[in-house]
Amino acid sequence: MYEPSDEELKSVEDWFAQYDAVAEQGAIERLADLAVFPMNLATDVPGGFAAVRQWTREEYVEAMREAMGGGTAGLDLESARTPHFLSPNLVFVETTATMTVEGRRESMHYGDLLVRTEDGWAFQTMAQGGWGHGWPPARRG
């Protein structure tokens, strides 16, 4: 089992600080610059099964514009992240986040696979339940 150094843990914290700052601004193209494409997505279809797909950069930008609008500023977003290093170059990060939407506190739990590139960390896989509305269910084989 790989044990990351304090410096490696800090590098992931720093990456998320950068990501959060860009997300707060709603700078979707800059968020896309922090990713590797095609991006893998895993979710589930409410009342159904798992669903997976890959997004191009263009699909990611379109989906994030729709989901984030002008950014996360004003949502009183709080995130607790737990990195699980698989190797020096792969880290799966579990996040529990709480935010205020239209006066209501909402919580979510999701995970991201970050991969180390020549330019630093980048997210490559997103996994979160419940947002596969209209996606076909995953099939084995």
Side-chain angles (χ1 to χ4, degrees):
M1 183 156 184
Y2 184 76
E3 289 293 328
S5 67
D6 290 345
E7 183 179 312
E8 288 170 316
L9 288 167
K10 181 156 179 13
S11 72
V12 170
E13 289 175 20
D14 291 348
W15 183 89
F16 273 106
Q18 177 186 14
Y19 178 91
D20 289 345
V22 173
E24 188 171 296
Q25 298 166 12
I28 306 301
E29 289 288 344
R30 287 183 36 219
L31 285 178
D33 291 342
L34 298 174
V36 170
F37 297 96
M39 179 183 292
N40 295 312
L41 295 106
T43 188
D44 54 14
V45 178
F49 298 96
V52 297
R53 66 171 31 159
Q54 287 188 322
W55 276 344
T56 63
R57 181 185 174 102
E58 294 75 22
E59 290 168 317
Y60 170 82
V61 167
E62 180 182 330
M64 290 301 107
R65 278 197 210 291
E66 202 173 293
M68 294 177 69
T72 60
L75 293 180
D76 191 25
L77 184 63
E78 300 167 11
S79 298
R81 296 189 172 103
T82 306
H84 302 278
F85 275 76
L86 306 175
S87 76
N89 301 305
L90 301 170
V91 60
F92 190 80
V93 181
E94 280 185 271
T95 300
T96 300
T98 305
M99 64 183 155
T100 303
V101 178
E102 297 175 2
R104 298 182 324 273
R105 293 293 282 167
E106 294 185 16
S107 294
M108 57 187 157
H109 185 228
Y110 58 92
D112 296 297
L113 177 66
L114 302 184
V115 298
R116 190 186 310 267
T117 70
E118 291 178 353
D119 299 317
W121 290 110
F123 64 102
Q124 200 285 317
T125 298
M126 300 187 318
Q128 182 179 6
W131 48 275
H133 300 278
W135 291 21
R139 301 260 185 245
R140 295 194 315 184

